[in-house]
Amino acid sequence: MSGTVFSQLDKSLREHLATLVHLASTGDDETAADLARSEMPRVVAAVKALLDEHTPDEHGRCRTCRTRWWSRRLPAPCRAYLTTQLCLTTFDDDPTDTRTHLHRVS
Ligand SMILES: [Zn+2]
């Protein structure tokens, strides 16, 4: 029962994110602007909450992911933190295009 609920939650979350990406990339400028104003803060809040949860401690380890038996070999910071950071700071498509969008004055 709970598995079904969780998989439904996961599915709707992923569909929501896919919709955001789709609208951002295919929508007209007005749609994209509306989307940025209404959804960006929520997405940023979600990412910040995730990062807060996985912030490395003074030893560079994640309190959330640390477990008794693998804490000593756990790479620091944890995978969730690293992956989030990489996704947000690495431009894997076209960096020129991203900069153009960021700096474009409309
Ligand atoms: Zn973690």
Side-chain angles (χ1 to χ4, degrees):
M1 183 64 181
S2 63
T4 311
V5 172
F6 283 129
S7 59
Q8 276 174 357
L9 281 175
D10 185 59
K11 187 164 176 271
S12 67
L13 175 63
R14 286 169 193 278
E15 281 172 359
H16 177 68
L17 293 175
T19 303
L20 295 186
V21 172
H22 178 73
L23 285 175
S25 55
T26 62
D28 56 23
D29 284 357
E30 196 184 345
T31 303
D34 286 348
L35 192 75
R37 290 198 181 95
S38 61
E39 295 295 333
M40 266 289 263
R42 299 169 69 186
V43 174
V44 169
V47 172
K48 282 171 83 172
L50 180 75
L51 287 177
D52 284 348
E53 192 84 0
H54 294 272
T55 298
D57 65 12
E58 64 271 20
H59 304 294
R61 296 200 185 100
C62 177
R63 287 187 177 91
T64 303
C65 295
R66 186 161 51 185
T67 60
R68 241 173 286 161
W69 58 89
W70 60 321
S71 62
R72 288 173 193 280
R73 328 183 256 119
L74 196 67
C78 77
R79 191 171 282 258
Y81 191 88
L82 277 179
T83 303
T84 307
Q85 202 168 45
L86 280 176
C87 284
L88 289 173
T89 56
T90 307
F91 302 104
D92 53 1
D93 286 327
D94 186 351
T96 317
D97 189 46
T98 304
R99 278 191 214 106
T100 304
H101 280 97
L102 284 175
H103 292 163
R104 188 170 65 185
V105 180
S106 53

